[in-house]
């Protein structure tokens, strides 16, 4: 969640195992985290790039542990609800000049995208990590619990 007053933005990261794209069926929630970002973001796009970078780092770490335990390779996918951030990840250095103070993170994400990590768009209403950055109404709670694999259907 972007903090336009110059404070550090709040980020939510959710890591699943055994899930691809927008389906959480059969998957397991492995890690979740809500925290303030280390850098001050000047826009929502920058805040999303910072969060995507940290999410990918967590995903890689968990992938290594799971690969060692199961002797199987894990596919990593990073979802974002910000089209501008996804555009920067896919196009790399062409647009990185706009975010100089996070250009290293943006270029690293671009490299990972070129190596096969999938970066997908997911609407805000379907983004499970969004529940870790904002207050929740009672009407959204059942969907959030389902998205976080906290209840069975």
């Amino acid at each position: 969640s972007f903090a336009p007053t110059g404070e550090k933005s709040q980020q939510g990261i959710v890591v699943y195992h055994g899930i691809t794209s927008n389906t959480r069926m059969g998957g397991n929630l492995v890690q979740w985290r809500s925290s303030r970002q280390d850098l001050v973001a000047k826009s929502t796009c920058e805040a999303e790039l910072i969060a995507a970078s940290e999410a990918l780092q967590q995903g890689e770490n968990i992938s290594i542990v799971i690969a060692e335990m199961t002797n199987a390779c894990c596919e990593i996918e990073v979802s974002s609800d910000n089209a501008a951030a996804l555009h920067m990840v896919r196009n790399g250095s062409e647009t990185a000049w706009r975010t100089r103070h996070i250009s290293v993170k943006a270029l690293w994400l671009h490299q990972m995208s070129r190596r096969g990590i999938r970066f997908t768009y997911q609407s805000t209403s379907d983004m499970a990590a969004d529940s870790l950055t904002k207050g929740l109404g009672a009407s959204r709670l059942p969907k959030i619990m389902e998205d976080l694999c906290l209840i069975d259907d």
Side-chain angles (χ1 to χ4, degrees):
S1 179
F2 175 60
T5 58
E7 302 165 5
K8 293 181 179 179
S9 300
Q10 185 75 21
Q11 70 183 5
I13 296 172
V14 178
V15 180
Y16 296 97
H17 174 257
I19 296 174
T20 56
S21 297
N22 297 327
T23 305
R24 288 181 182 78
M25 294 177 62
N28 299 302
L29 178 63
V30 178
Q31 180 188 14
W32 63 95
R33 188 175 101 197
S34 179
S35 63
R36 292 275 181 197
Q37 293 180 338
D38 293 335
L39 299 172
V40 174
K42 295 189 295 183
S43 67
T44 305
C45 176
E46 289 184 5
E48 288 286 332
L49 285 171
I50 293 167
S53 175
E54 290 200 25
L56 181 53
Q57 287 174 337
Q58 294 298 316
E60 283 187 318
N61 293 340
I62 290 170
S63 177
I64 290 168
V65 171
I66 291 172
E68 285 184 16
M69 291 183 344
T70 63
N71 222 11
C73 183
C74 295
E75 188 175 310
I76 298 174
E77 179 179 309
V78 178
S79 296
S80 175
D81 61 355
N82 188 288
L86 290 172
H87 178 77
M88 287 187 73
V89 166
R90 292 182 182 127
N91 295 317
S93 61
E94 295 174 21
T95 54
W97 62 268
R98 294 182 188 159
T99 55
R100 287 187 191 124
H101 73 290
I102 61 164
S103 62
V104 171
K105 290 181 186 290
L107 290 173
W108 179 71
L109 289 169
H110 175 66
Q111 283 181 338
M112 298 309 284
S113 172
R114 294 186 70 185
R115 289 184 186 167
I117 302 292
R118 291 189 331 187
F119 291 85
T120 59
Y121 177 82
Q122 194 170 41
S123 69
T124 303
S125 61
D126 292 331
M127 186 68 72
D130 207 42
S131 65
L132 302 174
T133 64
K134 298 173 181 66
L136 298 174
S139 61
R140 287 197 60 206
L141 192 57
K143 179 166 181 0
I144 297 297
M145 290 177 64
E146 182 181 338
D147 288 349
L148 293 174
C149 302
L150 298 175
I151 57 174
D152 291 327
D153 289 334

